[in-house]
Amino acid sequence: MVKISEIIEFLELEIINVFGEYENKYVKYLKPIELVDEFTLDWVSFNNQNKQQIVEQSKAKVIICDTTILYSELLYSQNKILIQVNNPKLTIALITEKFFILKQELGIHPTAIIHPEAIIGRNVYIGPYTCLGKCEIGDRTILLGNIFIDNNVKIGTDVIIQAGVVIGNEGHNYIRDKNNYCIKFPHIGGVIIEDNVEIGGNTFISRGVLSNTVIKKGTKIAQLVYIGANVQIGYHCAIRPNVMISGSVVIDDFVILAPSSTIRDQRNISKNVLIGMGSVVTKNVPSNEIWIGNPAKKIEK
Amino acid sequence: MVKISEIIEFLELEIINVFGEYENKYVKYLKPIELVDEFTLDWVSFNNQNKQQIVEQSKAKVIICDTTILYSELLYSQNKILIQVNNPKLTIALITEKFFILKQELGIHPTAIIHPEAIIGRNVYIGPYTCLGKCEIGDRTILLGNIFIDNNVKIGTDVIIQAGVVIGNEGHNYIRDKNNYCIKFPHIGGVIIEDNVEIGGNTFISRGVLSNTVIKKGTKIAQLVYIGANVQIGYHCAIRPNVMISGSVVIDDFVILAPSSTIRDQRNISKNVLIGMGSVVTKNVPSNEIWIGNPAKKIEK
Amino acid sequence: MVKISEIIEFLELEIINVFGEYENKYVKYLKPIELVDEFTLDWVSFNNQNKQQIVEQSKAKVIICDTTILYSELLYSQNKILIQVNNPKLTIALITEKFFILKQELGIHPTAIIHPEAIIGRNVYIGPYTCLGKCEIGDRTILLGNIFIDNNVKIGTDVIIQAGVVIGNEGHNYIRDKNNYCIKFPHIGGVIIEDNVEIGGNTFISRGVLSNTVIKKGTKIAQLVYIGANVQIGYHCAIRPNVMISGSVVIDDFVILAPSSTIRDQRNISKNVLIGMGSVVTKNVPSNEIWIGNPAKKIEK
């Protein structure tokens, strides 16, 4: 049970208008659209059609919406409370995180195996059957479980790593000798994962060959992703599920790689680029462009 | 050593004809074609060419085949036993399962870590280094090992989950805030996996955002598959290896997604659809159609 | 600190010329190009442009290069030592492996769970939270950790398996029965992994249906790869990250499958073939050809 007044206080600067009487009123939960009832905190996405109608027909008493919604006679007569914000979806995400998510348990599970020289920050969670080499884990970072982190990996603060992730094993780098046999190029670099990065389950991040593989602040890496040796990923990128990033690729800030896209080794993806689903990128991509296809080509927005 | 009479009794309704004298005869094993000998239970697929010749030249004494095979003078003189059925490949699968597979060990491995409020059915197998949150596991369900199952996951009866699978961590859902930073949309839903589902190794299944991710009865999900939040998969589908299904995709019954195909978020794939290998599906697909390519398009059968 | 004379002795047959006075001289480390200093062992790749200039401007005192570099007056006056070889990149890989990599710890971690009838070779490393069925592990083989190996898997000598790998669970093979339900074709085969194979993290290798899945000597399999039942892979192949190889595919020696490529079941890829990034191979590919695209087609070299 969350008081509306608490939610309004929490949102503070996000709020543009509040309509309706909310003193001593409360909501109990969030629900999918088909199960919304009078105790649900409901919301309407900015992009919906018929937003006014949705709000008027909602069984919920409290609705997060944008400022295009009119506080009509009908809404008034229904005693509905409207909380108007710029981005209802973002607002509901913030409210969910604050009021409706079970707080993550903290601590180090007794089955975690940690190298004696590893450096572990405060208020972390290190889940069961996790193996940590001689690495560094920042404050408030969460490792869910069944995770393998090798030596020479430095992880920042407020990072979330899902189950089954492997970080810091060698990448796939081989040279052919005179018999045409594969000789491994040994990797002596490490991995640096900055603050607020998130890494999805069963993803693999290679350590660098001579220098480090680097994932910068705020970047979100999805599940079942491969990141090769020496890859550099900038700030606030979104790397979606099943993406494959070959060795030495450099990705600038705010880039989005859609699901199942593949990037050739040593290519550069500049700022604000969007690579489409299932694309195969074989060239450098200039900033602010959208590339799609196999092989990927620029498309007009 | 399995008596032919036992096999015939087991098959019962499957059998159309039996030729040859099988009293007190038996087979010892199944073998790949190049190693078939007189103690092998052999079989000929419906689609083979020269089926009559294959049967006549087989070194095996007992052969599962369809009704187009003639019990010729030669077969008679070889003392061969023919067991005729509609679908020899299916029949041999049933026989293998019944007579030639080592029975799965049951029980809960002492290293499994199970939430005290988890509900575990009877006659299950829960393998080593498996972590179970506050979840529900149905009767006769098998979890091979190194598996991570989060809270709020409900798994039916007779389910098989291979090693390395992760179920119920959050999907990859982010909203951009005004700084263009990624803010996670927190997931408070769960996962429902119905009876007789099978899930291949190192696959990842996200929990729902507000409602549940659902995999219905009899659907078989392969290895290294990503299934996003709120995905609904119908009855008796086959999701092949390396498939990527984005969030909120709805897949109807009897659908086949061939290997390495990718489905865009919020798309619907209707009944009996086949999506080809490596396809990238960006649109809704009507029932009974075949779509192939990147981007995927309808092809005539 | 490594003496130059030791490196020269180790390289032996690789060396073509040594220029400069190396008695009592040494190097301390390898560094990425931007951090090279006077104690770095530097090298110049055969394919670089301006190689002479790079060598002359390097801050390093010892440089591995090919024979096209002139030991100029400038190099002489800088007291530089040139070690000329045919393939500098390969040479640096060999030197790194010999002198600059931390030796792999040996032994069996106490948390490894090993079937009592498993056969384990000498000088192996079996990392934490690894589960081994009734399998065979050859001498000097390394299993990093969080690995699941099923019964009936035979692994040769000098194999390296990264974290999160699953070997020997059943592949994704189902037959439709008369209700159109999926019936599993049970797998009674095994897996054979020959000497000097390497397998990347979170990869999945299926056991065979009746015979074995086989990976031959020297083949390197990357991360997040799926290998289906009964697949045969020849000698010294390179299977790159995120590749999907369907059941019963036969791959001959020295084949390269570039990242994110997918091979249809029962296809043959002959000797020395290169399959391009993101390709979808639906046909047999003759030897010495390059195939690219979705669907893949032959291209001229």
Side-chain angles (χ1 to χ4, degrees), chain B residues 101-164:
Chain B
I101 282 280
L102 277 178
K103 285 293 161 273
Q104 171 66 47
E105 182 190 347
L106 298 184
I108 298 177
H109 196 277
T111 62
I113 295 174
I114 301 181
H115 190 286
E117 294 175 54
I119 297 170
I120 309 294
R122 284 170 303 177
N123 299 318
V124 299
Y125 176 71
I126 297 177
Y129 300 135
T130 290
C131 306
L132 303 185
K134 193 172 157 183
C135 64
E136 214 175 312
I137 309 284
D139 296 346
R140 297 175 302 282
T141 280
I142 292 162
L143 280 66
L144 290 181
N146 286 18
I147 290 165
F148 190 99
I149 305 215
D150 216 320
N151 298 322
N152 206 3
V153 174
K154 193 176 167 184
I155 296 177
T157 63
D158 303 288
V159 169
I160 301 175
I161 301 181
Q162 294 188 337

Side-chain angles (χ1 to χ4, degrees), chain B residues 11-288:
Chain B
L11 290 177
E12 217 184 346
L13 299 176
E14 302 281 328
I15 292 185
I16 298 170
N17 296 303
V18 180
F19 295 101
E21 183 50 64
Y22 60 82
E23 277 310 313
N24 297 318
K25 297 220 174 125
Y26 59 88
V27 288
K28 282 190 178 169
Y29 32 62
L30 304 166
K31 291 270 185 189
I33 191 160
E34 67 278 12
L35 299 178
V36 166
D37 65 14
E38 59 177 319
F39 299 112
T40 306
L41 175 61
D42 202 5
W43 63 288
V44 189
S45 169
F46 188 83
N47 300 313
N48 269 10
Q49 292 183 307
N50 308 318
K51 285 185 283 193
Q52 186 73 31
Q53 203 185 333
I54 291 171
V55 172
E56 290 176 350
Q57 293 182 352
S58 172
K59 291 180 186 156
K61 290 295 183 194
V62 188
I63 301 164
I64 311 281
C65 60
D66 63 64
T67 56
T68 67
I69 305 294
L70 226 73
Y71 195 64
S72 60
E73 293 260 331
L74 181 56
L75 289 173
Y76 176 78
S77 71
Q78 293 170 330
N79 286 318
K80 277 184 178 158
I81 299 161
L82 289 199
I83 301 175
Q84 290 187 334
V85 297
N86 275 323
N87 187 341
K89 193 174 179 186
L90 175 62
T91 301
I92 207 80
L94 297 171
I95 292 172
T96 309
E97 185 69 37
K98 174 73 181 176
F99 296 105
F100 293 97
I101 282 280
L102 277 178
K103 285 293 161 273
Q104 171 66 47
E105 182 190 347
L106 298 184
I108 298 177
H109 196 277
T111 62
I113 295 174
I114 301 181
H115 190 286
E117 294 175 54
I119 297 170
I120 309 294
R122 284 170 303 177
N123 299 318
V124 299
Y125 176 71
I126 297 177
Y129 300 135
T130 290
C131 306
L132 303 185
K134 193 172 157 183
C135 64
E136 214 175 312
I137 309 284
D139 296 346
R140 297 175 302 282
T141 280
I142 292 162
L143 280 66
L144 290 181
N146 286 18
I147 290 165
F148 190 99
I149 305 215
D150 216 320
N151 298 322
N152 206 3
V153 174
K154 193 176 167 184
I155 296 177
T157 63
D158 303 288
V159 169
I160 301 175
I161 301 181
Q162 294 188 337
V165 166
V166 176
I167 302 180
N169 286 183
E170 292 185 300
H172 186 75
N173 279 288
Y174 298 90
I175 313 143
R176 296 281 177 175
D177 71 7
K178 58 195 169 214
N179 300 312
N180 205 16
Y181 295 176
C182 297
I183 304 296
K184 184 166 63 178
F185 203 101
H187 294 42
I188 60 175
V191 180
I192 294 176
I193 292 175
E194 295 189 355
D195 303 344
N196 290 102
V197 166
E198 299 184 19
I199 300 173
N202 285 347
T203 276
F204 181 96
I205 301 179
S206 313
R207 70 168 173 257
V209 176
L210 296 178
S211 50
N212 294 315
T213 302
V214 180
I215 319 281
K216 289 196 181 157
K217 266 192 193 177
T219 280
K220 312 301 182 187
I221 293 169
Q223 295 78 9
L224 293 161
V225 168
Y226 172 80
I227 296 181
N230 292 8
V231 165
Q232 314 282 318
I233 304 183
Y235 297 107
H236 306 293
C237 296
I239 311 298
R240 302 220 186 282
N242 203 28
V243 164
M244 191 279 161
I245 305 176
S246 305
S248 300
V249 164
V250 177
I251 296 176
D252 207 337
D253 307 337
F254 300 110
V255 164
I256 299 173
L257 303 186
S260 306
S261 53
T262 299
I263 316 294
R264 189 169 172 175
D265 58 298
Q266 306 192 37
R267 295 306 178 267
N268 296 319
I269 312 283
S270 297
K271 227 169 163 169
N272 294 317
V273 161
L274 168 61
I275 302 296
M277 232 170 60
S279 298
V280 174
V281 176
T282 57
K283 298 180 179 171
N284 294 329
V285 180
S287 59
N288 301 307

Side-chain angles (χ1 to χ4, degrees), chain A residues 272-283:
Chain A
N272 294 319
V273 161
L274 168 62
I275 302 295
M277 232 170 62
S279 299
V280 175
V281 176
T282 58
K283 298 181 180 171

